[in-house]
Amino acid sequence: CDVVVIADVLYNERLASVVGKRCQEVLERKPRPRLLVTDSQRFHGTDFLAEINKGREVEDALSWESGLLTNVTGSGILIKEDQ
């Protein structure tokens, strides 16, 4: 596969850790696919990095890149108590 997309699943720290493990498995494939992970609600988007970066040298560590999609129209409700 060329691209793996992981979206709308980073709801808590435990789940984010499992996602990190699966991301590591994806990145071990040959040829190495592109990996896109999104966290539109900003729940635990960076928590999976601890798992995926285990055993990596500092210079090889993966990092989170924030971006805003301006040409996308979405819908949803932000519930303050959930944040």
Side-chain angles (χ1 to χ4, degrees):
C1 92
D2 296 322
V3 179
V4 174
V5 178
I6 300 171
D8 200 27
V9 295
L10 302 173
Y11 294 112
N12 59 52
E13 188 175 344
R14 182 173 176 216
L15 185 54
S17 177
V18 172
V19 168
K21 289 177 185 177
R22 300 296 78 86
C23 289
Q24 185 59 40
E25 291 171 5
V26 166
L27 294 174
E28 291 172 357
R29 293 181 181 176
K30 301 292 183 205
R32 189 177 188 182
R34 297 282 186 159
L35 178 64
L36 175 64
V37 181
T38 69
D39 184 22
S40 63
Q41 298 297 317
R42 297 186 180 141
F43 289 127
H44 292 273
T46 56
D47 291 343
F48 78 100
L49 288 173
E51 188 65 43
I52 200 170
N53 283 325
K54 281 184 180 175
R56 289 181 183 273
E57 299 295 327
V58 174
E59 61 272 6
D60 294 327
L62 301 178
S63 62
W64 189 260
E65 180 180 315
S66 293
L68 180 62
L69 301 176
T70 57
N71 294 328
V72 175
T73 302
S75 65
I77 298 173
L78 175 64
I79 301 171
K80 200 169 196 172
E81 290 79 24
D82 281 349
Q83 302 303 306

